Amino acid sequence: MQALQLDRTAISFSPDGMTAYLRLPEPEMGMQYRLDDIQAALLDGGVKKGIDRKAIQNMIQSRVYGRAVAVAAGKAPQDGKDGYFEYMFESQLDGKPRINEDGTVSYTIKLFEMVTEGQVIAQYHPAIQGEDGYTVKDAPVRARVGRELPPLRGRGFECKADGVTYVATITGKIDKINDKINILPVYEVNGDVDANTGNIEFRGDVIIHGSVDDVEIRATGTVTIDGVVQGASIFANKDIVLAGGVLGNGKSVIDAKGNISAKFFEFATVRCKGDITADIFLNSNVYCEGNAFVMSKKGCIVGGSVHAVSGIEANSIGNNAEIRTHVLVGNGGEVRMKIEELNNSIKAATANINKAETILQKFQEYEEKTGQSCKDDPRRVQLVRIRVRDMARKAADEDALKKLRLMLESAKGANIKVRKKVFPGVYVSIDSCDTSCKDIFSDIIFIKQQEKVIMRKLSDWGA
């Protein structure tokens, strides 16, 4: 039989060029297609890669005519994979108490993870490079390049000679913030701290596996105490966790720049920039710029004063003895007064700076005109000192003003939620509005409305 020839109209391509199709016209009597002729026609038609001879042979043998059949395929690119770090420590710790199934609260909180010298803390897995593909016309299809990550930054660790294994060079607390790791020293005491051991002041974190009596502890990091704090004062630039609670004896001060968690507070002064969480506040003076949470099913606030700028949530407030208990949320008028004072101070400092700079400019003009230096002139020296002083004062006031405005913002809509009972003797303040409880109320939320403190059913409010 005579071989048939193909023209280019029998060949078509997918839009991405990854597949070539062949449509065979039905041959006339006595004519037939040959595999090699068809392959040659495909090559002549621009199909350079991935020709499937079996598919073509099947078309010939099965007499597949007038229908486009895929007879060539390109190769898809294999994208590369970026390099990544595998961390050998827990890097996400929420630092919050856990509510148990029975309604009690566990104050055994893990604020950080410890590592030891020589411990592997991270392993780098290098990028895997991709493999380019091609179309049936032999045009390259580029794969995505796998990108390498820069080495880990921080301190307290080193990279081994293999370039991918990171190990701790000191024993301490490990922190990961974004892509930076720091291992910092920790002061750890396996036992009690009292007058015999003395006060503790440490640049870092302090962990005490025991009780603390009648001493002062100061740390630039966090403070964690497993036992009871009795008559002692604790100061931390970060969080404070007191698993055993505080028997303040009227002299303990617990002060943190972060959050505070404790089993209980009795006759203590408590201050923090974040949230405070406890089962019991008893005859204590408490202030926090976040929320106060009394989480346990038996949690209560009795006596003293609890002021939480963002809000208070408690199981009960006050008791049957009608002990005077003051709970406050939001910001009173003193905050707005302070904001006004800061604005006035900034305005005055700005005026002084402008006045000093005007006179200093005149000194400069005099120097340019006469060629005589006024650098050591006592009047000029004094003006420079005044300008530097007022610029520093203005910067500090602006920073304080920014923080107060953020506090005002966080206090918007602040309320007091009481799941069970509020007793007579309880005084409630929201911003500069006050009210007092004359009866026992249950399931209550205190809110401010039209410059008054009013009560609503908490269950209805939640719905």
Side-chain angles (χ1 to χ4, degrees), residues 156-203:
F157 63 90
E158 65 182 7
C159 187
K160 296 179 72 173
D162 61 7
V164 295
T165 305
Y166 292 80
V167 297
T169 55
I170 63 171
T171 296
K173 178 197 77 166
I174 188 166
D175 274 333
K176 178 180 177 292
I177 302 176
N178 298 325
D179 60 346
K180 190 174 183 179
I181 291 177
N182 288 319
I183 302 175
L184 303 173
V186 173
Y187 189 99
E188 190 167 12
V189 179
N190 291 306
D192 297 337
V193 175
D194 52 27
N196 293 322
T197 57
N199 298 333
I200 294 174
E201 186 168 352
F202 187 69
R203 293 187 61 82

Side-chain angles (χ1 to χ4, degrees), residues 391-405:
M391 289 178 69
R393 183 180 297 168
K394 180 185 176 184
D397 286 347
E398 287 175 339
D399 184 59
L401 182 62
K402 181 180 178 181
K403 291 177 180 177
L404 285 177
R405 284 175 173 164

Side-chain angles (χ1 to χ4, degrees), residues 317-329:
I317 302 177
N319 63 6
N320 285 318
E322 300 186 12
I323 293 176
R324 180 183 172 89
T325 305
H326 194 184
V327 287
L328 311 87
V329 296

Side-chain angles (χ1 to χ4, degrees), residues 363 366-368 370-377 380:
F363 274 104
Y366 177 80
E367 288 179 337
E368 293 173 353
T370 64
Q372 297 180 11
S373 174
C374 299
K375 181 179 179 180
D376 297 324
D377 188 302
R380 183 184 180 281

Side-chain angles (χ1 to χ4, degrees), residues 89-96 108-115 171-176 182-188 202 204-209 219 221-226 238-241:
F89 60 92
E90 191 175 353
S91 60
Q92 300 295 327
L93 301 171
D94 62 15
K96 296 180 180 178
T108 304
I109 301 170
K110 188 175 182 182
L111 290 177
F112 49 78
E113 184 161 342
M114 294 285 292
V115 295
T171 296
K173 178 197 77 166
I174 188 166
D175 274 333
K176 178 180 177 292
N182 288 319
I183 302 175
L184 303 173
V186 173
Y187 189 99
E188 190 167 12
F202 187 69
D205 298 292
V206 173
I207 307 173
I208 298 173
H209 302 291
T222 62
V223 175
T224 305
I225 299 173
D226 293 343
K238 293 185 179 179
D239 295 348
I240 295 177
V241 175

Side-chain angles (χ1 to χ4, degrees), residues 106-140:
S106 172
Y107 291 93
T108 304
I109 301 170
K110 188 175 182 182
L111 290 177
F112 49 78
E113 184 161 342
M114 294 285 292
V115 295
T116 57
E117 182 180 351
Q119 178 180 335
V120 176
I121 62 167
Q123 190 80 24
Y124 181 65
H125 296 268
I128 298 174
Q129 296 309 313
E131 184 178 348
D132 291 342
Y134 50 80
T135 69
V136 293
K137 294 182 178 181
D138 201 19

Side-chain angles (χ1 to χ4, degrees), residues 212-425:
V212 177
D213 296 337
D214 293 315
V215 294
E216 185 174 286
I217 297 175
R218 292 181 178 271
T220 60
T222 62
V223 175
T224 305
I225 299 173
D226 293 343
V228 174
V229 174
Q230 185 164 337
S233 292
I234 316 294
F235 301 88
N237 283 359
K238 293 185 179 179
D239 295 348
I240 295 177
V241 175
L242 310 172
V246 179
L247 295 170
N249 300 331
K251 58 182 181 179
S252 287
V253 176
I254 312 299
D255 190 307
K257 298 292 192 298
N259 302 318
I260 296 178
S261 300
K263 184 71 174 175
F264 61 86
F265 293 102
E266 294 186 10
F267 296 93
T269 297
V270 189
R271 301 186 295 259
C272 79
K273 298 288 186 181
D275 297 334
I276 295 180
T277 305
D279 282 359
I280 298 171
F281 293 107
L282 177 62
N283 292 316
S284 294
N285 292 315
V286 179
Y287 174 80
C288 71
E289 294 181 10
N291 292 278
F293 298 105
V294 187
M295 300 175 65
S296 169
K297 65 180 181 180
K298 295 183 179 180
C300 61
I301 300 172
V302 180
S305 171
V306 176
H307 182 180
V309 172
S310 297
I312 295 174
E313 293 185 32
N315 204 54
S316 66
I317 302 177
N319 63 6
N320 285 318
E322 300 186 12
I323 293 176
R324 180 183 172 89
T325 305
H326 194 184
V327 287
L328 311 87
V329 296
N331 292 295
E334 68 277 1
V335 174
R336 289 178 172 81
M337 288 177 61
K338 182 62 177 175
I339 287 175
E340 186 176 354
E341 290 175 5
L342 288 170
N343 278 323
N344 291 335
S345 178
I346 292 168
K347 185 177 179 180
T350 301
N352 288 341
I353 292 167
N354 291 338
K355 183 178 179 181
E357 288 181 344
T358 298
I359 301 174
L360 287 170
Q361 179 64 31
K362 291 181 178 180
F363 274 104
Q364 184 176 346
E365 291 172 357
Y366 177 80
E367 288 179 337
E368 293 173 353
K369 183 178 180 179
T370 64
Q372 297 180 11
S373 174
C374 299
K375 181 179 179 180
D376 297 324
D377 188 302
R379 295 169 299 174
R380 183 184 180 281
V381 171
Q382 182 65 14
L383 281 170
V384 170
R385 288 175 179 170
I386 290 173
R387 184 181 62 174
V388 170
R389 180 201 66 191
D390 287 341
M391 289 178 69
R393 183 180 297 168
K394 180 185 176 184
D397 286 347
E398 287 175 339
D399 184 59
L401 182 62
K402 181 180 178 181
K403 291 177 180 177
L404 285 177
R405 284 175 173 164
L406 287 174
M407 282 180 59
L408 280 180
E409 187 65 27
S410 68
K412 285 184 178 178
N415 55 57
I416 300 171
K417 299 174 182 176
V418 187
R419 291 181 292 273
K420 290 190 177 178
K421 292 182 179 181
V422 180
F423 294 86

